[in-house]
Amino acid sequence: MDQAEELRNVIKKQNQRTKKPARIITVTSGKGGVGKSNIAVNLAVQFQRMGLKTIIFDADIGLANVEVMFGTIPQYSLNDLIYHDKEIEDIITDGPEGVGFISGGSGIMGLSNLTLDQISYLVKSVEKLSVIADIVIVDTGAGISDSVMEFVASSPEILLVTTPEPSSLTDAYSLLKMLYRNPKYDKNESVIHVLTNRVASFGEGKMVFDKLESVVKQFLDGSVHYIGIIPQDAMLEKAVRIQKPVSIVSPNARSSKRFEELAQYLVSGGKQDSSEQNAFRQFLTKLFNLS
């Protein structure tokens, strides 16, 4: 039995021992500056309030938006797990309201260069999140770099953030085009939610989605799922300026209410049934080329 087969068996056995593996939601965008990390953080707060232990995996290298918004500097990152013998529990930083987050550090960039022993330790460590958390939100870097595509293509559930700006819509389509070309992506196993941010109305948000859906159907023979909007909101903009989640500083704001509704929708029925039981297994198997 080769080492890759052993790793697959480890993932399978640990998932069998867990009643319900942690759910993976990868938040991504075709360009920076569309509010991706802000959405990841506020969703995490809302999930946590619903009694779902939530951990954000911050794979947005160099920007550290999650730790800035939480006002917490992590002591350890994924680098310490891979290279300095830390346990997965050691590198989880406590954020507001019980939300945890893991800093990717520069380790995300070097996933393709890891040895089999390092991959083995990483897989076994990350798999523990199935027990620690109910939901793991992966906050990717923006754009279509190799490191971003590794996470997006491996994820069973993708939340694609765009705005009404034409350039944002074009970049969202470019990301989807690259995703469909990625050998790790299987459109039959993944669901792509589209969230339109910074819109004036539900009508504007739906119009943005319709444009994206049209080109995806026509040129990619694929499908995307409309999940709604986050409205333009002065309270959200104020929260961003003071580097706090709007769901915490202004829980009654329009945007906070939409984050709450979005979290409830995702939990109650916004995901494909096929990824319910195997989300973590599929994610790790694809991410580390174990299939």
Side-chain angles (χ1 to χ4, degrees):
M1 182 184 297
D2 62 21
Q3 193 164 11
E5 180 64 24
E6 290 179 6
L7 295 182
R8 286 193 290 271
N9 289 337
V10 167
I11 295 171
K12 183 177 180 180
K13 288 178 181 178
Q14 292 195 11
N15 272 282
Q16 289 173 341
R17 291 198 298 267
T18 305
K19 280 188 175 180
K20 191 174 182 180
R23 183 170 170 182
I24 308 289
I25 300 175
T26 298
V27 183
T28 193
S29 62
K31 60 175 291 187
V34 299
K36 171 181 57 63
S37 295
N38 190 36
I39 287 166
V41 165
N42 279 283
L43 269 180
V45 170
Q46 297 294 346
F47 284 137
Q48 194 74 29
R49 288 176 178 172
M50 296 170 67
L52 299 170
K53 177 58 183 175
T54 305
I55 294 175
I56 302 175
F57 198 115
D58 188 0
D60 199 348
I61 304 302
L63 295 180
N65 287 331
V66 173
E67 60 192 71
V68 169
M69 292 192 68
F70 279 163
T72 305
I73 300 175
Q75 185 176 1
Y76 301 113
S77 71
L78 190 65
N79 287 340
D80 297 290
L81 177 72
I82 298 172
Y83 302 112
H84 301 128
D85 299 322
K86 292 297 181 182
E87 299 290 334
I88 192 73
E89 295 87 350
D90 297 329
I91 67 169
I92 299 174
T93 303
D94 293 328
E97 300 199 18
V99 175
F101 72 93
I102 296 173
S103 172
S106 60
I108 299 296
M109 303 296 288
L111 285 180
S112 60
N113 298 319
L114 298 182
T115 66
L116 274 177
D117 285 340
Q118 288 172 328
I119 291 175
S120 176
Y121 182 67
L122 182 58
V123 167
K124 291 175 183 178
S125 298
V126 173
E127 176 59 18
K128 292 180 182 178
L129 294 178
S130 277
V131 177
I132 297 172
D134 297 302
I135 297 177
V136 176
I137 298 176
V138 179
D139 179 18
T140 73
I144 53 177
S145 67
D146 290 342
S147 58
V148 169
M149 293 310 302
E150 289 291 294
F151 279 96
V152 177
S154 302
S155 181
E157 190 166 9
I158 301 159
L159 180 57
L160 175 61
V161 181
T162 188
T163 72
E165 296 178 6
S167 60
S168 177
L169 200 57
T170 300
D171 289 330
Y173 172 70
S174 296
L175 182 143
L176 291 173
K177 186 165 60 174
M178 291 296 294
L179 177 63
Y180 270 73
R181 293 174 179 172
N182 192 293
K184 292 185 179 181
Y185 177 68
D186 186 338
K187 65 181 180 181
N188 296 316
E189 292 184 355
S190 298
V191 58
I192 302 173
H193 305 293
V194 176
L195 179 67
T196 51
N197 192 26
R198 300 173 187 160
V199 297
S201 65
F202 284 96
E204 183 183 32
K206 185 61 165 60
M207 184 173 63
V208 171
F209 169 78
D210 287 344
K211 290 179 181 178
L212 182 61
E213 182 186 38
S214 176
V215 294
V216 169
K217 284 183 175 179
Q218 181 177 356
F219 298 108
L220 300 180
D221 190 27
S223 63
V224 288
H225 175 246
Y226 183 53
I227 201 170
I229 71 164
I230 301 298
Q232 282 279 15
D233 183 4
M235 298 307 298
L236 186 150
E237 294 173 3
K238 180 179 179 180
V240 170
R241 286 197 297 272
I242 63 174
Q243 298 178 340
K244 299 287 184 182
V246 68
S247 295
I248 292 177
V249 297
S250 301
N252 293 317
R254 289 177 62 218
S255 54
S256 297
K257 293 299 184 182
R258 279 296 301 137
F259 282 122
E260 182 180 1
E261 292 167 0
L262 180 59
Q264 290 173 347
Y265 173 76
L266 284 167
V267 169
S268 65
K271 181 172 67 72
Q272 288 179 329
D273 293 336
S274 61
S275 61
E276 179 72 26
Q277 296 300 325
N278 300 315
F280 228 99
R281 187 188 312 167
Q282 292 173 353
F283 179 70
L284 292 175
T285 298
K286 288 182 180 180
L287 184 61
F288 295 105
N289 296 314
L290 300 178
S291 57

